[in-house]
């Protein structure tokens, strides 16, 4: 017979297990929830929601709810076992666990407040560890001296803040059932007058694609046949520069045609931007941009996904906008249970910073980000291919999340596979860029639209870590490839310019004012439309 301390029978065991009251359940749930307060802040903060689609947020919220419930069950079972055993040593161990829980809660609140303890202690880790050790000893002495009063006070605090559990769980449930931000083409159709452009345009941005690394200093074993073919028949710029070296400022600059020097998230649906020439902060969704300008011309537009900005929420006058992830595409592991369980592990690692150092939080983090990045990529590709076959759409925009990390493709096996960080991973994703262009081209050729569509391929900024490859960085150096229908011979443009003129180029092409590569060069030389 297994020894269970003072329990004399199964009946007595069950009786003691049933002693847990609803009040204790509320305290345990509140304490567990407070341990993950930093995670709740990250996932429910309206600023952070700007960067996450609802589709991408759901697994994190599910994992967070499961973690809170799991820790709650552990607390309640621990309390039951302490009562079942009924020995002083069990209560002492319970006291140590209690102190650990409080420590985790304090640390979660500290990280939310962005208090860097090592900076407060002159940045010396030895002082940090020493003070920490002394603090733990003092805390233990205080706790065991006034244990009863401290526990009672803790229980009262947990009961007072129990409504926070209701608030976080309620908000999480609402976000999980909230529909994705996809605009119905039929609903928006009424605001367009249906004017057809001289030429339809496909504008593709590949995040972090670097002109120097992709073309000038490309390794011999990295082959990009689709890109090389495209630039051979296009207007190809050797010295194009993005408006900024970060996506948050570069994309608004490209959309508006004005240099943005500052950006700040207002809430989940809005970005505040500051133009260089006026210095005033304005709402990005309210100012003229390439989509409002094409709408005013009577053209129909489409956005094929999100890699950073929530385009569907920002610009509700786009004819069609999709943010769905590619969860039904071949080549991706669609195991949702594995995804949620790995996110749960990552959230637990973050409860205390040293756990991640000891147990490999970074590895799990890369895994989770890579899996989601695969789905985002596949969703954008699927949407682009679908839109490109629709002759009713006049401007199609796609912002792909490659070759930016995490690196999700193996160029040697031609399969989606999580890759290590570093230059080799970047080049794998760069080959995926080439494969992506090939898939889009073939889809448009099948629909008979490739030859009649102007194609623009560029990037929002360069690869900031290219120094890891060869010790060099070409700040803001990005590719700029523009293929016009009917042009058989490509042109190499050597002058320096900023891709901020892209919006004017698109309008000029759609209006029929730009018909050859000489016209492209002239518009760039004068800095925009007349």
């Amino acid at each position: 017979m297994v020894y269970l301390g003072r329990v004399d029978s199964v009946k007595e065991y069950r009786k003691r297990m049933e002693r847990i009251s609803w009040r204790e359940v509320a305290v345990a749930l509140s304490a567990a929830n407070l341990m993950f307060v930093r995670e709740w802040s990250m996932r429910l903060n309206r600023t952070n929601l700007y960067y996450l689609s609802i589709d991408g947020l759901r697994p994190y919220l599910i994992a967070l709810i499961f973690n809170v419930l799991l820790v709650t069950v552990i607390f309640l079972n621990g309390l039951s076992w302490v009562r079942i055993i009924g020995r002083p040593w069990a209560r002492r161990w319970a006291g140590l666990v209690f102190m650990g829980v409080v420590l985790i809660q304090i640390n979660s609140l500290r990280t939310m407040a962005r208090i860097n303890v090592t900076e407060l202690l002159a940045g010396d880790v030895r002082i940090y560890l020493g003070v920490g050790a002394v603090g733990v000893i003092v805390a233990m002495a205080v706790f065991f001296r006034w244990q009863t009063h401290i526990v009672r006070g803790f229980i009262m605090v947990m009961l007072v803040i129990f409504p926070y559990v209701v608030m976080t769980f309620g908000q999480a449930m609402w976000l999980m059932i909230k529909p994705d931000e996809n605009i119905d083409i039929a609903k928006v159709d009424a605001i367009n007058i249906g004017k057809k452009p001289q030429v339809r345009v496909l504008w593709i941005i590949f995040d972090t694609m670097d002109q120097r690394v992709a073309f000038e200093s490309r390794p011999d074993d990295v082959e990009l046949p689709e890109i090389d073919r495209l630039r051979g028949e296009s207007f190809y710029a050797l010295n194009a520069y993005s408006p900024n070296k970060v996506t948050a400022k570069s994309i608004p600059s490209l959309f508006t045609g004005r240099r943005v020097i500052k950006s700040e998230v207002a809430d989940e649906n809005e970005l505040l931007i500051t133009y260089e020439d006026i210095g005033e902060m304005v709402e990005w969704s309210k100012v003229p941009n390439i989509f409002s300008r094409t709408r005013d011309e009577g053209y129909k537009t489409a956005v094929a996904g999100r890699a950073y900005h929530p385009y569907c929420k920002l610009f509700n006058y786009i004819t069609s906008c999709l943010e769905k992830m590619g969860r039904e595409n071949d080549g991706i592991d669609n195991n949702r249970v594995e995804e949620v369980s790995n996110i749960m592990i990552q959230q637990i690692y973050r409860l205390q910073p040293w756990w991640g150092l000891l147990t490999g939080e970074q590895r799990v983090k890369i895994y989770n980000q890579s899996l989601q990045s695969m789905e985002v990529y596949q969703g954008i590709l699927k949407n682009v291919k679908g839109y490109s076959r629709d002759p009713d759409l006049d401007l199609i925009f796609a912002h792909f999340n490659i070759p930016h990390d995490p690196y999700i493709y193996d160029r040697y096996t031609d399969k989606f596979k999580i890759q290590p960080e570093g230059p080799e991973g970047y080049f794998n994703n760069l080959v995926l860029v080439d494969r992506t262009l090939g898939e889009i081209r073939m889809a448009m050729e099948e629909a008979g639209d490739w030859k009649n569509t102007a194609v623009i391929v560029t990037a929002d900024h360069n690869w900031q870590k290219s120094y890891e490859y060869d010790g060099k960085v070409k700040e803001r150096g990005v590719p700029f490839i523009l293929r016009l229908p009917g042009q058989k011979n490509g042109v190499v443009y050597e002058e320096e310019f900023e891709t901020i003129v892209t919006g004017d180029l698109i309008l000029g092409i759609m209006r029929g004012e730009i018909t050859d590569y000489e016209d492209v060069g002239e518009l760039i030389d004068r800095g925009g439309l007349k």
Side-chain angles (χ1 to χ4, degrees):
M1 182 177 178
V2 179
Y3 179 70
L4 294 176
R6 297 183 180 179
V7 178
D8 300 322
S9 65
V10 175
K11 184 177 180 180
E12 178 68 15
Y13 169 74
R14 289 177 177 173
K15 182 179 179 181
R16 296 196 179 195
M17 286 291 286
E18 290 171 358
R19 288 180 182 175
I20 300 297
S21 66
W22 285 109
R23 182 170 179 267
E24 289 165 335
V25 171
V27 171
L29 188 56
S30 186
N33 202 55
L34 189 60
M35 289 174 64
F36 293 94
V37 64
R38 176 171 175 260
E39 290 291 332
W40 283 122
S41 176
M42 289 171 59
R43 302 306 165 194
L44 301 181
N45 185 290
R46 296 190 71 187
T47 299
N48 293 333
L49 288 176
Y50 176 88
Y51 300 104
L52 281 173
S53 68
I54 298 301
D55 209 24
L57 181 62
R58 286 191 185 104
Y60 286 89
L61 294 176
I62 293 171
L64 191 47
I65 290 173
F66 282 174
N67 266 329
V68 172
L69 295 178
L70 175 63
V71 174
T72 300
V73 171
I74 292 173
F75 285 167
L76 295 176
N77 275 275
L79 178 60
S80 295
W81 276 101
V82 169
R83 288 174 174 170
I84 289 170
I85 296 171
R87 299 293 180 88
W89 62 264
R91 289 193 292 271
R92 285 195 291 269
W93 275 106
L96 292 175
V97 172
F98 170 81
M99 289 182 59
V101 170
V102 174
L103 178 63
I104 291 173
Q105 293 172 338
I106 292 173
N107 186 67
S108 296
L109 294 170
R110 177 192 65 81
T111 54
M112 279 184 60
R114 298 182 180 180
I115 299 174
N116 192 324
V117 178
T118 54
E119 288 183 1
L120 295 177
L121 300 173
D124 194 322
V125 177
R126 292 172 298 180
I127 299 177
Y128 172 53
L129 294 175
V131 171
V134 172
V136 169
I137 294 172
V138 172
M140 290 176 63
V142 171
F143 174 75
F144 287 116
R145 175 66 179 83
W146 292 286
Q147 180 173 347
T148 302
H149 299 290
I150 292 173
V151 171
R152 285 177 179 172
F154 177 81
I155 290 173
M156 289 302 300
V157 171
M158 292 303 103
L159 290 174
V160 168
I161 66 172
F162 181 77
Y164 181 65
V165 176
V166 179
M167 183 185 74
T168 51
F169 274 53
Q171 192 172 352
M173 295 299 294
W174 161 245
L175 287 172
M176 285 191 289
I177 64 175
K178 184 179 178 182
D180 295 294
E181 300 82 5
N182 293 324
I183 297 175
D184 183 357
I185 188 169
K187 183 180 70 175
V188 187
D189 237 6
I191 67 173
N192 289 282
I193 60 175
K195 177 182 176 182
K196 296 304 295 180
Q198 295 295 316
V199 179
R200 75 193 304 237
V201 177
L202 171 61
W203 180 18
I204 302 176
I205 288 180
F206 288 107
D207 206 304
T208 317
M209 188 172 179
D210 193 289
Q211 160 66 19
R212 184 186 67 83
V213 175
F215 301 112
E216 301 165 21
S217 303
R218 184 198 305 172
D220 294 335
D221 64 337
V222 176
E223 298 180 356
L224 307 175
E226 286 291 338
I227 297 176
D228 290 340
R229 170 185 173 178
L230 182 64
R231 66 174 176 148
E233 57 190 36
S234 303
F235 179 94
Y236 167 58
L238 294 178
N239 295 294
Y241 294 88
S242 62
N244 203 284
K245 61 182 181 180
V246 294
T247 306
K249 301 171 189 173
S250 182
I251 294 293
S253 299
L254 291 171
F255 276 27
T256 61
R258 299 170 66 180
R259 190 173 294 105
V260 173
I261 59 172
K262 183 180 179 181
S263 64
E264 178 182 319
V265 175
D267 55 38
E268 60 186 288
N269 300 314
E270 188 61 78
L271 184 75
L272 302 177
I273 59 175
T274 302
Y275 292 126
E276 183 182 53
D277 52 353
I278 62 174
E280 295 180 3
M281 191 166 281
V282 296
E283 295 178 334
W284 185 19
S285 65
K286 302 296 193 301
V287 297
N289 60 76
I290 183 59
F291 295 111
S292 65
R293 294 168 73 189
T294 49
R295 176 203 58 186
D296 293 343
E297 297 272 340
Y299 305 137
K300 297 178 181 179
T301 58
V303 173
R306 63 181 289 170
Y308 189 87
H309 295 291
Y311 302 113
C312 295
K313 292 188 288 187
L314 282 164
F315 310 112
N316 59 9
Y317 40 76
I318 297 171
T319 309
S320 184
C321 190
L322 293 171
E323 289 194 355
K324 293 291 288 184
M325 289 176 149
R327 292 188 166 169
E328 290 119 14
N329 292 277
D330 294 334
I332 288 183
D333 181 4
N334 292 324
N335 191 331
R336 289 290 158 251
V337 174
E338 183 179 0
E339 179 185 11
V340 171
S341 63
N342 275 280
I343 293 173
M344 288 177 66
I345 294 171
Q346 184 182 350
Q347 291 172 347
I348 292 172
Y349 280 156
R350 280 202 291 261
L351 289 178
Q352 289 292 350
W354 53 82
W355 291 0
L357 296 175
L358 295 174
T359 52
E361 177 197 354
Q362 188 65 17
R363 175 181 57 80
V364 178
K365 180 180 180 181
I366 291 173
Y367 176 89
N368 293 335
Q369 290 179 341
S370 297
L371 183 62
Q372 193 167 80
S373 184
M374 291 179 191
E375 295 175 344
V376 169
Y377 162 78
Q378 289 279 26
I380 297 172
L381 178 60
K382 180 179 179 180
N383 295 337
V384 172
K385 291 163 71 173
Y387 281 149
S388 65
R389 299 187 186 101
D390 185 352
D392 201 39
L393 296 173
D394 306 317
L395 170 62
I396 303 167
F397 172 76
H399 179 183
F400 278 97
N401 57 329
I402 57 170
H404 196 292
D405 62 353
Y407 304 122
I408 59 175
Y409 178 74
D410 185 348
R411 70 181 189 271
Y412 299 107
T413 62
D414 190 30
K415 293 182 179 180
F416 289 96
K417 183 180 179 182
I418 298 172
Q419 300 294 305
E421 295 180 305
E424 186 64 18
Y426 181 85
F427 291 123
N428 280 334
N429 270 20
L430 193 60
V431 173
L432 181 58
V433 168
D434 190 76
R435 171 181 144 166
T436 302
L437 277 176
E439 289 195 42
I440 294 172
R441 175 183 60 79
M442 287 187 286
M444 295 182 70
E445 284 180 343
E446 289 177 5
D449 292 323
W450 176 255
K451 292 183 179 180
N452 303 320
T453 301
V455 179
I456 300 174
V457 175
T458 185
D460 54 342
H461 58 79
N462 66 303
W463 182 29
Q464 304 286 338
K465 295 183 178 180
S466 62
Y467 60 83
E468 294 181 357
Y469 164 56
D470 60 2
K472 301 176 182 178
V473 176
K474 185 177 181 181
E475 286 290 350
R476 299 189 296 117
V478 295
F480 188 84
I481 302 171
L482 194 165
R483 186 189 70 85
L484 289 174
Q487 301 296 301
K488 297 181 179 180
N489 299 316
V491 171
V492 177
Y493 186 81
E494 299 183 359
E495 300 297 321
E496 294 185 0
F497 75 98
E498 281 196 353
T499 55
I500 202 168
V501 300
T502 303
D504 281 356
L505 284 169
I506 290 172
L507 275 178
I509 293 169
M510 298 179 81
R511 291 172 179 171
E513 298 173 4
I514 295 176
T515 58
D516 56 35
Y517 296 139
E518 184 177 350
D519 293 337
V520 175
E522 289 178 357
L523 185 144
I524 292 174
D525 289 341
R526 64 174 179 262
L529 291 169
K530 295 179 180 178

